[in-house]
Amino acid sequence: MTTSAEELHHGQLAASPVKGDDQRLYVDLDKCATGECSTCEIQCSYYYHTQKPGNNGIVSIAELATYALVCRRCEEPHCVNACPKDALEQQKDKGNMLVRHALRCVSCKSCSHACPYGTIYPENVPLLIHTCDYCLDRRGQKGEPLCIKSCPHGALSLKSGSIALDENTFLVGDHLIVHSTHWKREKA
């Protein structure tokens, strides 16, 4: 099982997601971006997060989805060049996908300030490592996934990996479906 932290910080995100009949975590980033929540208010049942309330896996999911879908993957990445700790890396072999090395990152937000398109959101670059295991081993348990039940705005759900994808809905990795209206190079 690959967690969001492994996908985000170790570059293990599947570059070519494949449809399947499995249930995947669906995140509507457009709802998350409305600003109705000053901080993400969901609850998380990932073991290490239950020990530290306020830590939840959706933060890492939002960062991962942003790098996969919103980031413009610049040829000359100002965000990478601005990082004083070499914590941000652009993976040339994976279409310039960003990886943030959490053990180097000091959450100074230099990358956020350097991005000319404003696509690295400061709230998505925390010092604390957040992890989502997609509740893969707890889905049959009562009340799981807890994040879906506790999101006050209905931004999270489970959907089949075989759903029809519209113009703004994407498979990200092997366990995630993201709805996000975003910039497209070919329409610029």
Side-chain angles (χ1 to χ4, degrees):
M1 171 174 55
T2 304
T3 66
S4 64
E6 293 166 321
E7 294 170 325
L8 179 64
H9 304 301
H10 300 286
Q12 296 182 8
L13 181 70
S16 301
V18 178
K19 284 188 165 192
D21 292 331
D22 56 318
Q23 292 290 301
R24 299 182 188 187
L25 182 62
Y26 175 89
V27 179
D28 188 334
L29 285 184
D30 289 349
K31 285 185 180 178
C32 291
T34 61
E36 292 186 38
C37 303
S38 58
T39 59
C40 188
E41 301 170 5
I42 63 116
Q43 297 173 357
C44 181
S45 63
Y46 184 67
Y47 174 76
Y48 296 105
H49 293 171
T50 60
Q51 307 303 307
K52 176 102 173 125
N55 189 343
N56 71 63
I58 294 302
V59 173
S60 66
I61 294 295
E63 183 179 6
L64 181 67
T66 300
Y67 291 167
L69 301 174
V70 181
C71 173
R72 296 189 183 184
R73 303 180 185 204
C74 302
E75 291 299 320
E76 185 61 38
H78 299 288
C79 56
V80 172
N81 297 335
C83 181
K85 301 294 182 184
D86 294 327
L88 208 56
E89 175 186 350
Q90 197 178 50
Q91 297 176 298
K92 298 291 184 190
D93 62 329
K94 292 190 174 181
N96 290 344
M97 173 82 175
L98 291 176
V99 169
R100 185 172 60 87
H101 299 285
L103 294 178
R104 295 184 206 156
C105 181
V106 294
S107 191
C108 69
K109 320 287 190 218
S110 295
C111 54
S112 298
H113 296 291
C115 176
Y117 304 106
T119 62
I120 299 179
Y121 310 129
E123 63 272 20
N124 287 351
V125 187
L127 178 60
L128 188 65
I129 296 174
H130 298 257
T131 300
C132 177
D133 64 355
Y134 304 99
C135 295
L136 293 175
D137 62 343
R138 301 183 303 282
R139 291 227 180 128
Q141 297 176 10
K142 185 178 180 185
E144 295 291 347
L146 186 56
C147 60
I148 293 171
K149 298 185 183 322
S150 60
C151 178
H153 302 289
L156 307 171
S157 61
L158 287 177
K159 294 195 185 272
S160 171
S162 63
I163 67 168
L165 302 172
D166 64 28
E167 179 183 7
N168 296 311
T169 305
F170 308 88
L171 298 177
V172 176
D174 295 329
H175 309 293
L176 186 61
I177 301 171
V178 178
H179 176 82
S180 174
T181 305
H182 69 283
W183 178 86
K184 292 181 180 176
R185 183 181 302 268
E186 57 274 5
K187 290 187 176 182

